[in-house]
Amino acid sequence: MPWYKKLHWQIIIGLVLGLLFGIVAAVNGWSGFTSDWIAPWGTIFINLLKLIAVPLILASLITGVASLSDLSKLSRIGGKTIAIYLGTTLLALTIGLTVVNVMQPGKTVPPDMRDRLQQAYEGDVAARTQAAQAARERGPLQPIVDMVPDNFFSAAADNGNMLQVVFVAILFGIGLLMIPPEKARPVQAFFDGFNVLIIRVVELIMLVAPVGVFALMADTITSIARGGLGEILELLAALGYYCIAVLLGLFIHMLVVYPSLLKLFVRMPLRTFFTGIAPAQLVAFSTSSSGATLPVTMECAEKNLGVSEEVSSFVLPLGATINMDGTALYQAVAAVFIAQALGLGLDLAAQLTIVFTALLASIGTAGVPGAGIVMLVIILESVGVPSAGIALILGVDRILDMVRTVTNVTGDATVATIVAATENQLGRPAEGGVPAAPAVVRDALADASGS
Ligand code: ASP
């Protein structure tokens, strides 16, 4: 197949053209034209992906859990998955804190720029603080209560309730394992067929991905540049060092931590992994939403990486809702950056509080654009930094959101590949075979997850 016919190249072309168009549109003042005639195609693309997310999670998790054949296998895979998710998030937080403490980007913001930013974003800060306030006023067990819906249809009717859908699907999957096989079979057959149908629909949606990505990029660039290109350049000059710190942390995590883990547990050629997951990374970059990217992540993991359906349909929907390494890393850098810029020192205890709250906050962050900055307010308040400080970073948040979402999605795919390999469920991807994890590693993981 010629290279330009490969999906990830088509998406890259869409992305670059969208970027160029966005810059030309911003320079020539075509933002009206862009929002009237270009942006809607991006919205349609995201809507299509979101449309498929709830049925996909439901069908794939029910069949995923039910096909695990017994509850001990479910608890082994579940325990292992959650342990690796938490471990990678802790590593991300450590990298974030190291980078920000070494680079000290907060010390480079000129005081007059700091005051101007705080004034400019006063209104936005109020909205974000209010959202965070609502989240904080809930009792300590509220996040668990929130996971359990009282009505299935209202849970499924709101894309922000993915965790509730995950809960219902796992519950029904467990139920299916416990009823007589002759009763379970037709239900399972239905969801199996439904799964195949959804995968086909995802493939159809991906046909328009290059156009969708073009439109999303064009719209993002023109709306970032609404205040004029000069303003962006000024902002980048003041906050460039902070952006570099976040990006450096994210790239270290993506290019050092994940590849090392893959080498250790999977021995998959890294090229196979990164080219296989590229379409999902590109969609994550242009949508800034790991929830919307989930259908593409699953398709890439199964088709290109060889992850079994049983593993991918359990590990990935869970990851898209609770595993956000990029978000956690960004939150750690941003919190310390704001403290530095406001001249507030954070001692070791405060930094450990950041690790703990960011770990929980990243689990509670929804996979939608900009969710990470709302949770940042809670982290700031936990260490006594005024939440109004987020005004400093709001202007460049969208750019960082794009890259942290790529990290979130790459993390989910890495963990799915590791779990599949250690369960002997990593088949042959599109190009080249992938050896499973060495037996010794498999046994160590099985012990660690208590089975
Ligand atoms: N946009 C991110 C995601 O969907 C969440 C965040 O704002 O950090 O993964």
Side-chain angles (χ1 to χ4, degrees):
M1 187 176 355
W3 66 272
Y4 55 86
K5 285 211 170 145
K6 289 201 176 136
L7 181 65
H8 65 271
W9 280 114
Q10 293 189 351
I11 302 180
I12 289 178
I13 294 171
L15 197 138
V16 172
L17 289 180
L19 199 87
L20 294 177
F21 180 89
I23 294 173
V24 173
V27 170
N28 293 306
W30 299 344
S31 61
F33 173 82
T34 312
S35 61
D36 283 349
W37 295 99
I38 307 282
W41 302 106
T43 311
I44 290 175
F45 177 58
I46 296 205
N47 283 355
L48 284 169
L49 287 174
K50 286 187 186 159
L51 166 76
I52 214 75
V54 168
L56 172 75
I57 291 185
L58 198 66
S60 69
L61 265 182
I62 289 180
T63 44
V65 172
S67 69
L68 287 178
S69 65
D70 62 71
L71 290 178
S72 70
K73 197 169 174 194
L74 173 67
S75 61
R76 187 183 69 230
I77 296 190
K80 192 189 296 187
T81 305
I82 291 174
I84 309 179
Y85 275 155
L86 290 180
T88 50
T89 308
L90 278 174
L91 279 174
L93 281 162
T94 312
I95 293 175
L97 284 179
T98 310
V99 167
V100 74
N101 280 303
V102 171
M103 289 177 65
Q104 310 252 4
K107 305 239 158 106
T108 63
V109 185
D112 62 319
M113 185 67 178
R114 186 183 68 204
D115 298 341
R116 264 196 299 147
L117 283 170
Q118 279 181 327
Q119 272 166 15
Y121 288 101
E122 234 162 19
D124 294 301
V125 172
R128 255 75 162 197
T129 317
Q130 222 169 22
Q133 179 91 15
R136 202 166 358 86
E137 270 167 9
R138 302 171 315 173
L141 293 185
Q142 195 59 34
I144 302 178
V145 175
D146 285 347
M147 263 174 57
V148 186
D150 62 354
N151 181 299
F152 168 70
F153 292 98
S154 68
D158 178 357
N159 282 332
N161 282 341
M162 293 293 196
L163 213 46
Q164 297 190 344
V165 179
V166 168
F167 177 82
V168 173
I170 293 179
L171 190 65
F172 279 34
I174 293 175
L176 258 184
L177 279 176
M178 300 168 88
I179 60 175
E182 72 275 10
K183 299 280 182 212
R185 226 168 282 127
V187 184
Q188 223 166 336
F190 169 76
F191 281 114
D192 268 343
F194 198 65
N195 246 337
V196 177
L197 166 69
I198 288 176
I199 290 168
R200 197 88 204 115
V201 174
V202 172
E203 282 169 7
L204 286 179
I205 297 173
M206 287 314 283
L207 292 178
V208 297
V211 177
V213 165
F214 168 83
L216 285 170
M217 283 311 292
D219 185 44
T220 307
I221 299 293
T222 40
S223 43
I224 289 177
R226 194 141 290 158
L229 277 183
E231 193 178 292
I232 296 187
L233 292 179
E234 200 186 346
L235 206 59
L236 280 180
L239 298 179
Y241 206 42
Y242 156 72
C243 292
I244 292 173
V246 175
L247 295 176
L248 180 69
L250 293 175
F251 281 116
I252 292 176
H253 197 62
M254 267 193 289
L255 300 178
V256 178
V257 174
Y258 294 146
S260 311
L261 289 174
L262 286 168
K263 279 245 166 299
L264 191 63
F265 293 121
V266 190
R267 288 185 288 163
M268 172 186 275
L270 292 178
R271 214 191 122 124
T272 311
F273 178 81
F274 281 105
T275 45
I277 202 66
Q281 289 179 318
L282 291 164
V283 171
F285 185 78
S286 32
T287 59
S288 286
S289 166
S290 40
T293 311
L294 176 65
V296 190
T297 319
M298 289 181 69
E299 167 108 353
C300 290
E302 287 169 24
K303 293 254 165 71
N304 303 348
L305 305 182
V307 175
S308 75
E309 204 188 315
E310 184 176 297
V311 168
S312 97
S313 58
F314 176 75
V315 176
L316 291 173
L318 199 64
T321 28
I322 68 164
N323 182 47
M324 308 245 169
D325 294 355
T327 301
L329 191 152
Y330 144 84
Q331 284 169 335
V333 177
V336 179
F337 166 79
I338 293 170
Q340 287 169 352
L342 299 178
L344 306 163
L346 290 179
D347 57 9
L348 190 65
Q351 305 231 6
L352 285 176
T353 309
I354 292 182
V355 170
F356 183 68
T357 17
L359 184 67
L360 294 180
S362 70
I363 294 174
T365 304
V368 296
I373 205 163
V374 173
M375 296 310 244
L376 179 61
V377 173
I378 296 177
I379 298 172
L380 287 176
E381 293 189 353
S382 74
V383 286
V385 175
S387 52
I390 61 168
L392 301 182
I393 55 170
L394 268 170
V396 289
D397 196 60
R398 181 61 200 234
I399 306 167
L400 301 178
D401 195 2
M402 293 156 93
V403 186
R404 65 187 190 243
T405 309
V406 174
T407 314
N408 292 343
V409 166
T410 311
D412 298 342
T414 305
V415 176
T417 312
I418 293 173
V419 172
T422 56
E423 285 293 317
N424 243 335
Q425 294 204 35
L426 196 61
R428 276 177 187 277
E431 349 169 316
V434 179
V440 52
V441 173
R442 253 199 328 268
D443 295 342
L445 270 178
D447 286 341
S449 58
S451 57

